[in-house]
Amino acid sequence: MASPKKKLQGLVAATITPMTEHGEINFSVIGQYVDYLVEKQGVKNVFVNGTTGEGLSLSISERRQVAEEWVTKGRNKLDQVVIHVGALSLKESQELAKHAAEIGANGIAVIAPFFFKPQNKDDLTEFLKEVAAAAPGLPLYYYHIPSLTGVKIRAEELLDGIQEKVPTFGGLKFSDMDLLDFGQCVDQHRQRHFALLFGVDEQLLSALVMGATGAVGSTYNYLGKKTNQMLEAFEQKDLSSALNHQFCIQRFINFVVKLGFGVPQTKAVMTLVSGIPMGPPRLPLQKASKEFIEKAEAKLKSLDFLCFPGLKNANLEAS
């Protein structure tokens, strides 16, 4: 993997945690998963143990093991492995941050604690400062997702002066639809060279126009190739082609959102597209219904996203 000093940019897949039918982590397919991302989707950066990876449903021991497996299997194949270390407990976040540094990860990301919540920017900054201190050699990225945490502190506000308090602050995973807030993050902090990564996949083109330097998302696991085509068109100033790619991606996302789309359904779709069994989610989440799988498969085929037809039933049932 690359040096952690390299700026995180481009597509970053929010990785899924593969599981067996009994709810145990299926470490055996992660090497295959790495190869699939790199060779089939053109995605060489990963964000491990986040929302898509059910990180907060895993034990601390499991999170450490998953992080180790991605770093080990990604060595000399992936550019950057960022480990999400957010937790309700500061001590657990620090433990995971220290571990990420020890195993050779390229960065850490932190979600805001969401039971005892930070009440203002200073509270949140102090929490991030303490986590960052446990891994002083790694950049720290703040994972901004107010719809899940209930922490409504604007990203623009947090970024103001944060590097003076958290010297290793590297940027932001912005998983919110407030493009005004995101745009101000870009406008006011472009000179600091932060990684400003957008996290709402279906709106990525809008964020690129606003100045996003990259993106972190679940769909890049199986729509990375199509999204990379959009990025290339945008870089070449071919906005018409970029827009067509974004609309194509939106057709699928809009379709599955109407059916009910979350982590269980993401695991099912990844199984369909990649042929790698992702298994069920961990309780309290329930696995995707057979009806969802059938409709999603038909839509994937109609959009020419399904490259692995005729998968074994066992793989589909595992999702």
Side-chain angles (χ1 to χ4, degrees):
M1 288 176 291
S3 161
K5 302 299 182 185
K6 182 180 177 183
K7 186 174 180 180
L8 182 61
Q9 58 189 357
L11 294 188
V12 184
T15 60
I16 296 160
T17 299
M19 292 185 183
T20 69
E21 279 300 303
H22 301 293
E24 300 301 321
I25 297 171
N26 184 4
F27 294 101
S28 68
V29 301
I30 291 180
Q32 182 184 356
Y33 191 168
V34 169
D35 291 340
Y36 170 79
L37 288 176
V38 173
E39 296 168 10
K40 301 297 183 182
Q41 298 297 341
V43 175
K44 300 187 74 174
N45 303 300
V46 294
F47 185 94
V48 177
N49 288 337
T51 305
T52 303
E54 301 173 82
L56 291 163
S57 291
L58 307 180
S59 69
I60 296 300
S61 174
E62 287 175 323
R63 291 175 70 171
R64 289 164 60 105
Q65 289 177 277
V66 171
E68 289 170 14
E69 194 70 12
W70 276 99
V71 169
T72 299
K73 292 298 191 294
R75 190 164 288 122
N76 301 320
K77 294 180 179 180
L78 297 172
D79 285 342
Q80 297 214 37
V81 177
V82 175
I83 308 298
H84 173 244
V85 302
L88 297 183
S89 160
L90 171 61
K91 293 298 183 183
E92 289 183 349
S93 283
Q94 289 175 317
E95 177 186 334
L96 290 167
K98 182 180 178 184
H99 176 258
E102 290 171 348
I103 63 175
N106 302 97
I108 55 173
V110 186
I111 200 170
F114 53 88
F115 188 81
F116 293 117
K117 298 181 179 67
Q119 297 301 306
N120 51 50
K121 167 190 168 178
D122 291 340
D123 293 350
L124 179 54
T125 301
E126 193 64 24
F127 181 85
L128 297 177
K129 176 183 175 182
E130 292 299 317
V131 176
L138 295 183
L140 177 142
Y141 304 97
Y142 173 56
Y143 180 6
H144 178 67
I145 184 164
S147 62
L148 287 184
T149 63
V151 176
K152 306 295 186 180
I153 299 162
R154 287 172 62 81
E156 170 202 354
E157 182 184 357
L158 176 70
L159 263 56
D160 184 24
I162 194 168
Q163 221 164 27
E164 286 70 39
K165 299 283 184 67
V166 187
T168 57
F169 187 81
L172 186 69
K173 180 193 175 191
F174 188 96
S175 294
D176 190 31
M177 295 184 179
D178 186 347
L179 284 173
L180 173 59
D181 188 14
F182 183 75
Q184 288 304 291
C185 290
V186 177
D187 184 35
Q188 296 180 29
H189 301 285
R190 66 180 74 203
Q191 301 304 320
R192 292 182 177 272
H193 304 293
F194 289 150
L196 296 170
L197 308 163
F198 200 64
V200 183
D201 305 11
E202 61 271 27
Q203 295 184 350
L204 176 55
L205 184 57
S206 299
L208 291 174
V209 173
M210 299 294 283
T213 61
V216 183
S218 62
T219 66
Y220 311 137
N221 285 290
Y222 52 86
L223 297 182
K225 182 177 180 181
K226 171 61 72 173
T227 308
N228 272 321
Q229 290 171 348
M230 183 180 78
L231 293 181
E232 290 164 12
F234 180 78
E235 288 171 3
Q236 292 167 7
K237 298 183 172 30
D238 184 354
L239 191 56
S240 176
S241 293
L243 196 57
N244 285 336
H245 289 308
Q246 180 72 96
F247 283 156
C248 186
I249 292 164
Q250 283 187 343
R251 286 183 203 118
F252 177 71
I253 295 177
N254 189 47
F255 179 81
V256 292
V257 164
K258 289 177 180 178
L259 295 176
F261 194 60
V263 171
Q265 292 74 25
T266 295
K267 297 185 99 166
V269 170
M270 181 60 172
T271 299
L272 280 167
V273 179
S274 71
I276 305 170
M278 293 293 132
R282 182 162 285 178
L283 290 170
L285 300 180
Q286 300 287 337
K287 67 181 180 181
S289 68
K290 193 169 290 187
E291 179 186 12
F292 173 88
I293 293 171
E294 289 171 353
K295 289 182 177 180
E297 182 176 20
K299 191 65 173 179
L300 286 163
K301 285 179 177 176
S302 75
L303 295 170
D304 203 26
F305 288 156
L306 194 56
C307 303
F308 294 86
L311 297 177
K312 294 181 180 179
N313 288 337
N315 280 0
L316 298 184
E317 287 300 319
S319 71

